[in-house]
Amino acid sequence: MKKRALLSVSDKNNLVPFAKGLDELGYELISTGGTLKKLQEAGVPAKGVSEITGFDEILDGRVKTLHPIIHAGLLARRDDNSHIKQLAERDIAPIDVVVVNLYPFKETIANPEVTEEDAIENIDIGGPTMLRAASKNFRDVTVVVDPADYDAVLENLGENGGTSAFRKTLAAKVFRHTANYDAMIANYFVDITGTEDPETFTQTFEKIQSLRYGENPHQQASFYKEGNVKGASIANAKQLHGKELSYNNIQDANAALEIVLEFGEQPAAVAVKHMNPCGVGIGETISEAFQKAYQADPVSIFGGIVALNHEVDEATADQLKDIFLEIVIAPSFSEKAMEILTVKKNIRLLETSMEINETDNKKVVSVIGGLLVQDRDNGKISANDLEIVTDRQPDAKEIDELLFAWKVVKHVKSNAIVVAKADQTLGVGAGQMNRVGAAAIAFEQAGDKANGAVMASDAFFPMPDTVENAAKAGIKAIIQPGGSIRDQDSIDECNKHGIAMVLTKMRHFKH
């Protein structure tokens, strides 16, 4: 009996040469709709599915391959005599090759103007059903979902009809593909129905690249991208120059990007080491902002990652070129800046949008055997949200400095303290087991510059000792969440030393 191949694809790239290859191998081709038309126009012999089933396509093409003749041909086991007998009794021919890719649901919902009706009409039903049926029967059926596999499939089929091991590999790819497809549909419906905390949490990502190794050389790692992620994202970034990103590069680059996005249109520069900011500055120009970030900690920035929220111009590039940096992230680089920076062979230059993706509102962290899912920490405050609790009130300049420090401390590993002045961080105490220790590191780093500066804390002070040490360093104003049963002790300590304190009533733990 002549072997049979069914082709029904939305992606018609390289379809015709592949179909000709199947024809040359002796396969009878059957097809549907636009795929059939494409083959016939190219002179490739093919029959319509309706000719095989004796049942016309109906419901505007919603029903065409959902038919027992098709699915019996796919699911019949060739090593089961009863299956073969049943096919023969009903004059059904087995289908040996299935070539299907699905309605472009992902591309459809990526359009910001998409209607719910358009999205639903692009949910493929027959395609996934055929793919799953063929994949289940991989011992006998070759199933192809990716045009990139066409050449390998023809080569394998040419070798005595193909191998079971190869068919199993293709089937595994299909199940990943349909799982990805269904996950996108599931998440779309979670969004449009406003479902909070669904009973199952499904995420799907597409591989960007294999990484040389993970956090350490003995760990394997890969980088994946969420299907339709938009806006500011390292996964969306275009690498303009430099060697391949590493696992740690990506982590640090993401941390730098998250911080610089806090400052909106205000020119801002962020330097990051080990996912903590070592220097942050804002200014009238991006060059001024970077100069402040650099001066904040010219030692720790060595080998660091820098994110800037405005185009890198010639002046900024001249500053960047004299420092050993792993990565520079920006929305764009001027032609002159590229000339200056690409002289450095290994520096990675990443270009990404600085537009915040408002739909990316969940943060996921893996634990052994599970996931933690929470809302992203998108909490923001303004001057109007602050509660002044001390005798001395901060002036307008101090309020601005406090809000600047608050934006930074949000992104520092807890326990976290940030000392800042004049739109520039001066000291960062990160990831300490107690707040006094974090403050001591920040004060030591700031040195004499802490005198007259402000301080931000990611969480409240359960003891007045941090305030006492702040007074010794010369801190003039403090911003912290408040909420401790011993808040008054810290307030009294501030009043004792003439320090202004404001409460945000919002905590920024970062573990």
Side-chain angles (χ1 to χ4, degrees):
M1 185 182 294
K2 192 170 186 179
K3 288 184 176 292
R4 177 174 279 180
L6 190 158
L7 298 87
S8 180
V9 297
S10 60
D11 181 353
K12 296 177 176 57
N13 286 320
N14 297 319
L15 170 66
V16 170
F18 179 62
K20 287 181 177 178
L22 291 173
D23 180 57
E24 291 169 2
L25 288 172
Y27 284 83
E28 178 187 37
L29 307 185
I30 58 177
S31 190
T32 65
T35 306
L36 178 62
K37 182 180 179 182
K38 179 85 171 178
L39 296 177
Q40 290 175 336
E41 288 175 348
V44 181
K47 294 180 180 180
V49 164
S50 296
E51 186 178 347
I52 302 301
T53 63
F55 193 91
D56 291 337
E57 296 182 13
I58 61 172
L59 307 181
D60 301 318
R62 281 190 171 200
V63 177
K64 46 183 179 279
T65 59
L66 296 169
H67 194 282
I69 287 179
I70 298 299
H71 287 278
L74 292 174
L75 286 164
R77 292 183 55 172
R78 313 305 195 260
D79 61 351
D80 188 321
N81 290 334
S82 69
H83 283 199
I84 299 304
K85 181 181 178 182
Q86 289 175 66
L87 291 186
E89 288 171 348
R90 293 163 176 80
D91 196 25
I92 298 174
I95 297 173
D96 305 283
V97 176
V98 173
V99 186
V100 172
N101 46 64
L102 308 177
Y103 293 172
F105 181 79
K106 170 187 168 184
E107 292 77 10
T108 300
I109 62 172
N111 180 357
E113 305 298 321
V114 67
T115 64
E116 186 175 311
E117 182 179 358
D118 284 342
I120 290 171
E121 283 306 310
N122 276 279
I123 297 174
D124 203 327
I125 302 300
T129 306
M130 287 189 291
L131 286 172
R132 289 173 60 82
S135 297
K136 177 175 179 174
N137 204 20
F138 70 84
R139 289 182 180 86
D140 300 307
V141 182
T142 300
V143 57
V144 190
V145 74
D146 187 352
D149 293 327
Y150 286 170
D151 289 344
V153 169
L154 290 176
E155 182 180 351
N156 188 263
L157 291 175
E159 298 173 356
N160 300 316
T163 62
S164 181
F166 183 69
R167 289 193 293 269
K168 183 190 283 189
T169 299
L170 291 176
K173 187 172 188 176
V174 164
F175 285 123
R176 293 193 298 272
H177 185 80
T178 56
N180 174 274
Y181 193 78
D182 284 339
M184 285 190 290
I185 295 169
N187 288 336
Y188 173 76
F189 275 90
V190 165
D191 290 341
I192 65 173
T193 59
T195 303
E196 294 288 340
D197 297 324
E199 69 285 350
T200 59
F201 181 78
T202 305
Q203 283 194 306
T204 183
F205 299 85
E206 298 167 4
K207 187 175 179 179
I208 296 176
Q209 66 186 102
S210 296
L211 302 174
R212 287 172 295 161
Y213 54 84
E215 205 163 7
N216 298 290
H218 62 277
Q219 295 170 269
Q220 292 185 342
S222 300
F223 188 24
Y224 289 82
K225 174 182 175 179
E226 191 175 356
N228 273 328
V229 64
K230 300 179 182 70
S233 168
I234 300 304
N236 272 346
K238 180 180 179 182
Q239 185 165 348
L240 305 179
H241 178 73
K243 59 186 180 180
E244 183 179 290
L245 294 170
S246 72
Y247 179 96
N248 292 333
N249 288 155
I250 294 167
Q251 288 267 59
D252 284 338
N254 180 70
L257 181 60
E258 286 193 14
I259 301 169
V260 85
L261 291 173
E262 291 284 344
F263 296 96
E265 295 297 318
Q266 172 72 52
V270 175
V272 162
K273 286 290 285 291
H274 302 292
M275 297 181 67
N276 278 305
C278 58
V280 181
I282 57 176
E284 293 299 317
T285 65
I286 199 66
S287 175
E288 180 187 354
F290 174 71
Q291 190 60 29
K292 289 181 179 178
Y294 170 73
Q295 290 173 345
D297 189 347
V299 175
S300 297
I301 197 174
F302 182 85
I305 281 77
V306 168
L308 308 112
N309 63 356
H310 283 243
E311 180 176 85
V312 177
D313 54 19
E314 182 178 358
T316 310
D318 275 330
Q319 295 169 296
L320 292 165
K321 72 176 174 58
D322 294 327
I323 309 163
F324 169 56
L325 297 171
E326 292 280 0
I327 303 173
V328 177
I329 308 157
S332 58
F333 295 78
S334 73
E335 185 176 338
K336 191 65 179 176
M338 287 295 292
E339 288 179 15
I340 294 168
L341 293 173
T342 53
V343 171
K344 305 183 78 168
K345 180 180 177 181
N346 291 328
I347 190 172
R348 290 95 158 176
L349 304 180
L350 300 185
E351 184 178 87
T352 185
S353 165
M354 291 291 157
E355 182 179 344
I356 296 174
N357 180 4
E358 299 293 347
T359 63
D360 183 19
N361 57 8
K362 294 293 182 184
K363 182 178 179 65
V364 180
V365 176
S366 65
V367 296
I368 296 174
L371 292 174
L372 289 169
V373 182
Q374 67 169 346
D375 292 340
R376 288 195 177 278
D377 186 358
N378 294 326
K380 299 182 186 301
I381 60 168
S382 67
N384 292 332
D385 300 313
L386 301 177
E387 179 186 0
I388 302 170
V389 293
T390 49
D391 295 339
R392 189 176 87 75
Q393 299 203 358
D395 60 30
K397 183 173 182 296
E398 289 171 339
I399 290 289
D400 287 342
E401 291 176 334
L402 288 167
L403 291 174
F404 168 79
W406 183 250
K407 289 178 180 178
V408 178
V409 82
K410 169 181 174 180
H411 296 276
V412 179
K413 293 282 188 179
S414 301
N415 287 313
I417 296 289
V418 169
V419 175
K421 181 165 58 177
D423 300 333
Q424 175 189 46
T425 57
L426 300 175
V428 178
Q432 297 306 299
M433 286 64 73
N434 61 73
R435 201 157 301 281
V436 175
I441 292 171
F443 298 148
E444 181 180 1
Q445 186 183 4
D448 293 340
K449 293 180 180 179
N451 189 38
V454 304
M455 183 184 86
S457 172
D458 65 328
F460 59 58
F461 306 131
M463 304 288 179
D465 48 7
T466 303
V467 176
E468 182 181 352
N469 291 338
K472 291 176 182 176
I475 296 296
K476 63 180 180 179
I478 295 173
I479 185 169
Q480 58 120 331
S484 168
I485 60 173
R486 299 187 61 178
D487 274 349
Q488 192 60 48
D489 290 350
S490 295
I491 295 169
D492 291 344
E493 192 68 23
C494 283
N495 287 333
K496 176 181 173 181
H497 297 285
I499 296 173
M501 179 183 282
V502 301
L503 305 183
T504 64
K505 300 179 181 177
M506 178 184 292
R507 191 181 71 186
H508 282 314
F509 270 167
K510 185 177 176 65
H511 284 81

